């Protein structure tokens, strides 16, 4: 086993997910302690150009698995590809972003390689060769630590927006190793029929650096428009409470919370959301939380960074206006 | 078609959880435990498939946990599962998902008839991880689809089409059975088990397996070890902006730009 830290660079349609750059910065910190170097792995189709980008963010070497069978993420072929890179690179640890793909891939690869595993870490540090991973437990209510044994491969997925990416260096050329991967018999069992990109400009609630979220108090689907307008000027996504989804104002895919999605954006704006414990489970990890609520006692203010005790219908349009003015 | 639904017993999301003073775990005395809400989606889906189709022969609900976890099985049986499998042994470390998956895989392999469809939640609300499902599929060498929001099982019961929402896109995949699906909110709404059904569930068979039948893989046990759990660091108090709506908004935007630097 080397002392290197391998970062799985997540890309879609040849665009690297910004969270991957955060991983490279974290990997650099860890590698400086292990005495190894930061390496990267990119899997996909027509992705050769991405290695330079990963190099500019600090990868000393990038393993590339390029082929049409990797055009779309599928757990099993991607696990085969990443396992092949792990066999070649023999890293001490593999870092992956906590995304739909990341949770999935990390779990299958860790099972295949008999690795130590921690999902959705908010902190990672080394202690005598072991990784000490901090993550949430009990729907975000507690923080737990797990010890990942250094005598085995360590795999960790890392929460987005917890670690800061470094500024890219210009003029860096990547050291690339192309890895040929032979897929196993089982890898073809699942086919991706269709990927409908959300080209409408509406991001999924898990992808926004900013999430504007509304509750039951929005009263109709129509009224959610003002949240979409605010989200648009902030280049963010729209979320909703369960009460709002159950009432049919928004689809369940936008629900944030215990039985919805867990989001950790840089900025989460809760509009007319009470802050039930199940809602908090989905957003309390956000970096900055703004709450707009008419009721000063609403529990959402307990987790909020900034509070606004007022009618959301008065505040949200003004907020959109003010931000448009500043950005304009 | 035989369906396996996997259900974990977890603390109720409304319960106040207390951590033991030495932070070695949570204080389970008097703690209300329920089947994981995501796993309930899996049970409901299994039952709905049987109601819609003529070819679902058996629905088996499986749990790993202590004696008390039998209550979670009973809910599954009351919702419509036919039979329970309870992996009950103190040696089964409930905080190690890869280990749990390897134990469950062994239990599944003992079942000679085999399962066509395996269902569990997208993740559990105790470990907040979601590694169990994909790892189980890996150990069984079957495909899996994570966080499914739409499902169409073919008429002949040999394949399915599933939908899932990923970052930035909706994905439609096609796959043969057997396979494992982890279920996202929105696909089905779990029914409440009625009292008569809860009574009837007591009579349904439950097989119990222990470490006498299922091996704990030492290397997995050592690889990932739970250490401690503690309340998160307290957040600083909320800063309220005051005045007329216009003043509030101006001040809020100023704070977001100058102090928090997020806008
Ligand atoms: C097992 C389980 C799982 C759950 N999972 C989730 C989940 O994933 N996500 C989730 O959200 N919930 C979940 N819930 C439900 C949760 O308990 C709450 O019922 C829900 O979050 C309430 O939504 P809300 O805040 O929109 O509505 P309400 O509780 O009705 O709150 C509305 C808020 O809006 C404020 N308000 C009203 N009018 C205005 C106005 N004009 N301007 C500003 N503020 C205004 C009110 O003061 C109030 O605080 C779950 C519950 C259970 C039991
Ligand atoms: N002890 C357990 N008993 C039964 N099922 C479990 C257990 N642990 C995990 N699972 C299953 O694994 C899925 C994902 O759990 P997790 O990986 O813990 O978030 C759940 O929806 C359960 O179906």
């Amino acid at each position: 086993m080397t002392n290197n830290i391998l970062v799985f660079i997540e890309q879609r349609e040849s665009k690297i997910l910004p969270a991957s750059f955060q991983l490279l910065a974290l990997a650099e910190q860890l590698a400086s302690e292990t005495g190894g170097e930061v390496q990267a792995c990119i899997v996909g189709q027509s992705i050769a150009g991405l290695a330079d980008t990963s190099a500019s963010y600090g990868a000393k070497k990038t393993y590339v698995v390029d082929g049409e069978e990797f055009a779309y993420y599928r757990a099993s072929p991607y696990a085969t590809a990443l396992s092949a890179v792990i066999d070649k690179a023999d890293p001490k640890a593999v870092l992956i972003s906590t995304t739909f793909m990341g949770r999935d891939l990390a779990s299958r690869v860790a099972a295949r390689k008999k690795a130590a595993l921690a999902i959705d870490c908010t902190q990672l540090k080394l202690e005598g060769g072991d990784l000490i991973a901090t993550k949430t437990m009990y729907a975000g209510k507690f923080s737990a630590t797990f010890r990942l044994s250094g005598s085995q491969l360590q795999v960790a997925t890392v929460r987005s927006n917890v670690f800061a990416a470094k500024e890219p260096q210009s003029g860096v050329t990547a050291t690339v190793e192309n890895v040929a991967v032979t897929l196993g018999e089982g890898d073809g069992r699942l086919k991706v029929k269709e990927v409908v990109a959300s080209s409408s400009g509406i991001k999924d609630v898990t992808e926004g650096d900013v999430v504007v979220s509304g509750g039951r108090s929005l009263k109709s689907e129509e009224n959610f428009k003002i949240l979409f307008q605010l989200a648009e000027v902030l280049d963010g996504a729209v979320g909703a409470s369960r009460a709002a989804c159950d009432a049919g104002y928004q689809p369940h895919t936008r629900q944030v919370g215990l039985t919805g999605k867990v989001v950790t954006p840089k900025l989460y704006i809760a509009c007319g959301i009470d802050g039930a414990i199940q809602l908090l489970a989905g957003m309390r990890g956000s970096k900055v939380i703004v709450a707009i609520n008419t009721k000063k006692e609403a529990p959402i203010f307990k987790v909020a960074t900034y509070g606004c005790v007022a009618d959301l219908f008065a505040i949200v349009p003004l907020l959109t206006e003010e931000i448009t003015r500043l950005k304009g | 078609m035989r369906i396996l639904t996997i259900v974990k017993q977890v603390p109720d999301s409304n319960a106040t959880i207390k951590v033991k003073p030495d932070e070695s775990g949570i204080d389970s005395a008097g703690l209300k435990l329920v089947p994981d809400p995501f796993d309930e989606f899996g049970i409901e889906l299994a039952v709905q498939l049987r109601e819609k189709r003529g070819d679902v022969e058996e629905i088996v609900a499986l749990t790993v946990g202590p004696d008390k976890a039998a209550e979670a099985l009973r809910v599954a049986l009351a919702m419509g599962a036919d039979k329970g499998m309870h992996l009950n042994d103190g040696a089964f470390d409930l905080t190690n998902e890869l280990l749990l998956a390897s134990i469950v895989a062994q239990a599944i392999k003992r079942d000679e008839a085999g399962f066509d469809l395996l269902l569990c939640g997208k993740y559990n609300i105790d470990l907040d991880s979601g590694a169990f499902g994909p790892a189980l599929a890996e150990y069984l060498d079957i495909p899996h689809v994570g966080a499914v929001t739409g499902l169409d099982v073919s008429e002949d019961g040999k394949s399915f089409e599933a939908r899932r929402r990923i970052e930035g896109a909706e994905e439609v995949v096609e796959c043969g059975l057997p396979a494992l699906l982890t279920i996202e909110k929105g696909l089905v709404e779990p029914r409440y088990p009625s009292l008569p059904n809860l009574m009837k569930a007591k009579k349904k068979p439950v097989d119990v397996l222990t470490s006498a039948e299922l091996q704990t893989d030492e290397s997995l046990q050592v690889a990932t070890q739970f250490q401690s759990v503690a309340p998160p660091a307290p957040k600083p108090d909320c800063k309220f902006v005051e005045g007329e709506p216009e003043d509030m908004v101006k001040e809020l935007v100023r704070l977001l730009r100058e102090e928090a630097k997020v806008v």
Side-chain angles (χ1 to χ4, degrees), chain A residues 100 103-104 108 112 114 135-136 138 143 145 147 149 152 191 193-194 196 198 259 262 278 306-307, chain B residues 14 123 126-129 138 144 161 167-168 170 172 174 185 217 219 223 225 227-228 230 239 259:
Chain A
F100 282 104
R103 280 188 203 258
D104 229 60
R108 274 203 95 125
R112 197 173 294 184
K114 288 207 165 207
K135 71 180 295 309
T136 69
Y138 303 107
S143 153
T145 56
R147 180 179 285 270
S149 162
Q152 269 129 312
K191 289 185 186 61
K193 243 181 109 175
E194 198 182 355
V196 191
S198 41
T259 44
V262 176
Q278 295 90 357
Y306 303 120
Chain B
N14 275 320
Y123 54 69
D126 58 347
L127 293 177
D128 297 358
S129 284
E138 179 67 29
H144 85 270
E161 192 177 289
E167 292 86 4
E170 167 141 279
V172 185
E174 212 173 43
K185 160 99 188 180
D217 183 329
S219 73
Q225 290 187 43
Q227 299 249 270
S228 64
K239 259 191 203 172
E259 190 176 86

Side-chain angles (χ1 to χ4, degrees), chain A residues 213-218 241 269-276 279-280 289-302 304 306-316 319, chain B residues 238 240-241 248 252:
Chain A
S213 219
R216 188 190 335 246
S217 52
L218 265 290
S241 72
I269 307 180
C271 309
I273 286 183
D274 202 52
L279 179 280
L280 300 185
I289 296 169
V290 170
I292 305 164
N293 196 307
T294 41
K295 194 174 69 184
K296 183 146 193 183
E297 306 74 46
I300 190 76
F301 289 122
K302 293 220 172 71
Y306 303 120
C308 195
V309 182
D311 183 358
L312 76 96
F313 292 103
I315 299 293
V316 173
L319 201 50
Chain B
C238 177
F240 286 95
V241 293
M248 286 182 165
L252 181 59

Side-chain angles (χ1 to χ4, degrees), chain B residues 5-9 36 38-39 62-65 93-94 97 100 104 119-134 182:
Chain B
T5 83
I6 298 156
V7 41
K8 189 177 190 184
Q9 193 178 46
D36 189 280
F38 284 101
D39 292 339
L62 180 153
T63 195
V64 190
D93 176 359
L94 295 173
E97 291 171 291
L100 282 176
V104 171
L119 303 171
C120 66
K122 138 178 117 159
Y123 54 69
N124 283 138
I125 63 170
D126 58 347
L127 293 177
D128 297 358
S129 284
F132 176 89
T182 82

Side-chain angles (χ1 to χ4, degrees), chain B residues 89-124:
Chain B
D89 198 304
F92 303 154
D93 176 359
L94 295 173
T95 63
N96 187 328
E97 291 171 291
L98 296 182
L99 187 64
L100 282 176
S102 84
I103 289 166
V104 171
Q106 292 172 50
I108 290 171
K109 284 179 187 158
R110 290 170 61 96
D111 182 291
E112 275 164 25
F115 294 101
D116 305 284
L117 189 59
L118 291 86
L119 303 171
C120 66
K122 138 178 117 159
Y123 54 69
N124 283 138

